[in-house]
Amino acid sequence: MTGAEELRKNLKETVAFLNENGVKDPEIGVILGSGLNGFAERIADPVVFSYDDIPNMQAGKVSDHRGVLVFGEYHGKRVVMLAGRFHYYESLDMQKASYAARVLVALGVKRFIITNAAGCINTGWNVGDLMLIRDHINLSGNNPLIGDNLDEFGPRFPDMTYTYNAELRKKLKTKASEKGIGLREGVYMMFTGPSFETPAEIRFARTIGADAAGMSTVPEAIIANHAGCEIIGISLMTNMAAGVLDQPLSGEEVNAAAAEARDKFGTVLDLAIDI
Ligand code: HPA
């Protein structure tokens, strides 16, 4: 079987399983980043699946990322929330790192809300700030569309000029400011991880125009954009990036900041689902 045939077959199995078990015509797909997985519990009367029970779905091993797909009606919309993602650094496999996004597309999702925890490169910003992603830089050295193109999803050479929807960004910024929440806007840069960046890498990232550093989101955004979906990207600054302050970084710090900002992030996610 070619790579494309195998991917098609796997997606067919995954989608058939989800459809048969009550996941029908989702409009919005939400991918929850570190520390935000609890948001999925807001869906009333949900259909819940552990990734382990979904054919071909890869569960990540990072402890906070539970690996649960939740479907239900939320704020009057049919929403699929993915609590837990499989990261590129877990296996150097872009197909696995983007499979969940492929599933959302194949289920019929038209709007993606992709969230993450990120290191703050912009020295004018602070830990706890939320950034709407205006654009990204893919420093992973890889691309989830490498290999046979699935023409039914999108073109071989997809344009990336308007990946993160400007109109939705503007609306979301206005709505958030009405609630007293200021949203930053900037460029997300994907490093592979799992080691955090060096101070020199962060200086490089800043020089070439990045505001935030992270280890996710880009594979999913490339897949969603390929398929013509609208994308809202939201990064939570969980720490100042390496070298911005004269102190080490830690995963605990990231989780603590994510916990601290949970309410604000939840409000912005609600607004993003409403627009
Ligand atoms: N770098 C990369 N990924 C991250 C960071 C960081 O500083 N913080 C949270 N995720």
Side-chain angles (χ1 to χ4, degrees):
M1 234 188 313
T2 66
E5 282 165 356
E6 191 171 354
L7 183 53
R8 278 194 188 98
K9 177 183 137 301
N10 287 343
L11 283 168
K12 220 168 148 183
E13 284 169 5
T14 307
V15 169
F17 170 85
L18 291 170
N19 284 161
E20 281 159 20
N21 287 284
V23 180
K24 291 271 158 61
D25 303 321
E27 300 157 271
I28 298 179
V30 182
I31 303 175
L32 297 166
S34 302
L36 295 167
N37 294 313
F39 190 82
E41 284 151 25
R42 293 192 183 192
I43 295 187
D45 302 321
V47 193
V48 183
F49 306 89
S50 162
Y51 289 179
D52 294 334
D53 298 330
I54 305 173
N56 311 319
M57 194 87 166
Q58 278 282 328
K61 294 201 176 57
V62 180
S63 59
D64 178 59
H65 292 207
R66 298 179 334 179
V68 177
L69 182 150
V70 182
F71 171 74
E73 199 165 297
Y74 188 73
H75 286 217
K77 308 241 168 73
R78 291 183 305 282
V79 181
V80 175
M81 293 196 198
L82 298 178
R85 45 156 69 96
F86 186 86
H87 288 85
Y88 183 55
Y89 59 71
E90 298 193 60
S91 74
L92 201 73
D93 186 335
M94 271 292 175
Q95 296 303 328
K96 286 185 184 168
S98 61
Y99 188 74
R102 290 268 193 200
V103 170
L104 291 179
V105 168
L107 281 168
V109 160
K110 294 287 178 281
R111 178 180 298 173
F112 275 65
I113 302 173
I114 311 178
T115 70
N116 60 59
C120 186
I121 296 173
N122 189 316
T123 53
W125 300 354
N126 298 301
V127 170
D129 285 0
L130 290 175
M131 178 188 90
L132 296 183
I133 303 178
R134 185 186 338 114
D135 204 348
H136 76 223
I137 299 171
N138 177 7
L139 204 78
S140 72
N142 204 337
N143 190 300
L145 296 174
I146 287 177
D148 294 333
N149 188 54
L150 271 60
D151 296 333
E152 67 274 32
F153 280 68
R156 171 75 291 190
F157 301 108
D159 177 57
M160 293 285 291
T161 310
Y162 305 110
T163 303
Y164 300 90
N165 190 288
E167 200 180 320
L168 294 178
R169 220 162 51 228
K170 195 167 156 208
K171 280 189 190 160
L172 186 50
K173 241 176 151 171
T174 306
K175 294 242 182 215
S177 103
E178 285 165 10
K179 296 228 175 228
I181 299 173
L183 294 177
R184 308 289 194 182
E185 217 177 293
V187 175
Y188 177 90
M189 185 146 166
M190 181 194 174
F191 290 84
T192 65
S195 58
F196 286 116
E197 301 72 35
T198 64
E201 285 163 351
I202 292 300
R203 285 196 301 278
F204 160 69
R206 186 181 301 116
T207 304
I208 65 169
D211 297 289
M215 307 175 192
S216 67
T217 299
V218 164
E220 297 138 352
I222 291 173
I223 291 298
N225 178 67
H226 177 240
C229 298
E230 294 173 335
I231 304 172
I232 298 173
I234 312 173
S235 295
L236 168 64
M237 304 298 127
T238 50
N239 55 283
M240 296 313 286
V244 174
L245 305 173
D246 189 8
Q247 64 184 46
L249 269 54
S250 74
E252 290 74 45
E253 174 191 22
V254 169
N255 289 338
E260 178 101 352
R262 203 162 282 159
D263 287 350
K264 182 167 76 166
F265 211 152
T267 304
V268 174
L269 261 179
D270 277 347
L271 293 173
I273 287 168
D274 283 342
I275 57 175

Short mmCIF file of all heavy atoms in Angstrom, two decimals, residues 117-119 196-197 213-215 238-239 249 254, ligand 1:
data_model
loop_
_atom_site.label_atom_id
_atom_site.label_comp_id
_atom_site.label_asym_id
_atom_site.label_seq_id
_atom_site.Cartn_x
_atom_site.Cartn_y
_atom_site.Cartn_z
N ALA A 117 0.71 26.19 24.66
CA ALA A 117 1.54 26.92 25.62
C ALA A 117 2.82 27.29 24.88
O ALA A 117 3.32 26.50 24.08
CB ALA A 117 1.87 26.02 26.80
N ALA A 118 3.34 28.47 25.13
CA ALA A 118 4.51 28.90 24.38
C ALA A 118 5.44 29.73 25.26
O ALA A 118 5.02 30.31 26.26
CB ALA A 118 4.08 29.72 23.16
N GLY A 119 6.69 29.78 24.84
CA GLY A 119 7.66 30.64 25.50
C GLY A 119 7.60 32.02 24.87
O GLY A 119 7.52 32.15 23.65
N PHE A 196 14.08 22.56 25.67
CA PHE A 196 13.74 23.95 25.40
C PHE A 196 14.86 24.56 24.56
O PHE A 196 15.94 23.99 24.42
CB PHE A 196 13.57 24.72 26.72
CG PHE A 196 12.29 24.37 27.45
CD1 PHE A 196 12.33 23.75 28.69
CD2 PHE A 196 11.05 24.67 26.90
CE1 PHE A 196 11.15 23.44 29.37
CE2 PHE A 196 9.87 24.35 27.57
CZ PHE A 196 9.92 23.74 28.81
N GLU A 197 14.61 25.73 24.02
CA GLU A 197 15.58 26.38 23.15
C GLU A 197 16.76 26.90 23.97
O GLU A 197 16.65 27.11 25.17
CB GLU A 197 14.92 27.55 22.41
CG GLU A 197 13.73 27.16 21.56
CD GLU A 197 12.50 26.78 22.37
OE1 GLU A 197 12.27 27.38 23.44
OE2 GLU A 197 11.78 25.85 21.95
N ALA A 213 7.69 30.91 21.10
CA ALA A 213 8.32 29.65 20.71
C ALA A 213 7.53 28.48 21.28
O ALA A 213 7.15 28.50 22.46
CB ALA A 213 9.75 29.59 21.24
N GLY A 214 7.30 27.46 20.45
CA GLY A 214 6.57 26.30 20.94
C GLY A 214 6.95 25.04 20.17
O GLY A 214 7.81 25.08 19.28
N MET A 215 6.28 23.94 20.54
CA MET A 215 6.63 22.63 19.96
C MET A 215 5.43 21.96 19.30
O MET A 215 5.39 20.73 19.18
CB MET A 215 7.20 21.72 21.06
CG MET A 215 8.35 22.32 21.84
SD MET A 215 8.85 21.25 23.20
CE MET A 215 9.93 22.36 24.13
N THR A 238 3.55 30.98 28.71
CA THR A 238 3.67 30.33 30.03
C THR A 238 5.01 30.65 30.71
O THR A 238 5.19 30.36 31.89
CB THR A 238 3.56 28.80 29.90
OG1 THR A 238 4.46 28.38 28.88
CG2 THR A 238 2.16 28.38 29.56
N ASN A 239 5.94 31.19 29.95
CA ASN A 239 7.26 31.53 30.51
C ASN A 239 7.94 32.49 29.55
O ASN A 239 7.62 32.51 28.35
CB ASN A 239 8.10 30.25 30.65
CG ASN A 239 8.23 29.49 29.35
OD1 ASN A 239 7.29 28.80 28.92
ND2 ASN A 239 9.34 29.64 28.68
N LEU A 249 14.51 27.36 32.63
CA LEU A 249 13.08 27.08 32.32
C LEU A 249 12.73 25.69 32.84
O LEU A 249 13.60 24.84 32.91
CB LEU A 249 12.89 27.03 30.81
CG LEU A 249 12.52 28.30 30.04
CD1 LEU A 249 13.50 29.41 30.33
CD2 LEU A 249 12.49 28.01 28.55
N VAL A 254 5.78 25.99 33.24
CA VAL A 254 4.83 26.04 32.13
C VAL A 254 3.44 25.64 32.62
O VAL A 254 2.44 26.33 32.37
CB VAL A 254 5.30 25.11 30.98
CG1 VAL A 254 4.21 24.94 29.93
CG2 VAL A 254 6.57 25.66 30.34
N1 HPA B 1 9.71 26.86 24.34
C1 HPA B 1 9.08 25.92 23.60
N2 HPA B 1 7.89 25.43 23.93
C2 HPA B 1 7.31 25.90 25.03
C3 HPA B 1 7.92 26.86 25.85
C4 HPA B 1 9.20 27.37 25.48
O1 HPA B 1 9.79 28.24 26.13
N3 HPA B 1 7.07 27.11 26.87
C5 HPA B 1 5.97 26.32 26.67
N4 HPA B 1 6.11 25.58 25.56
#
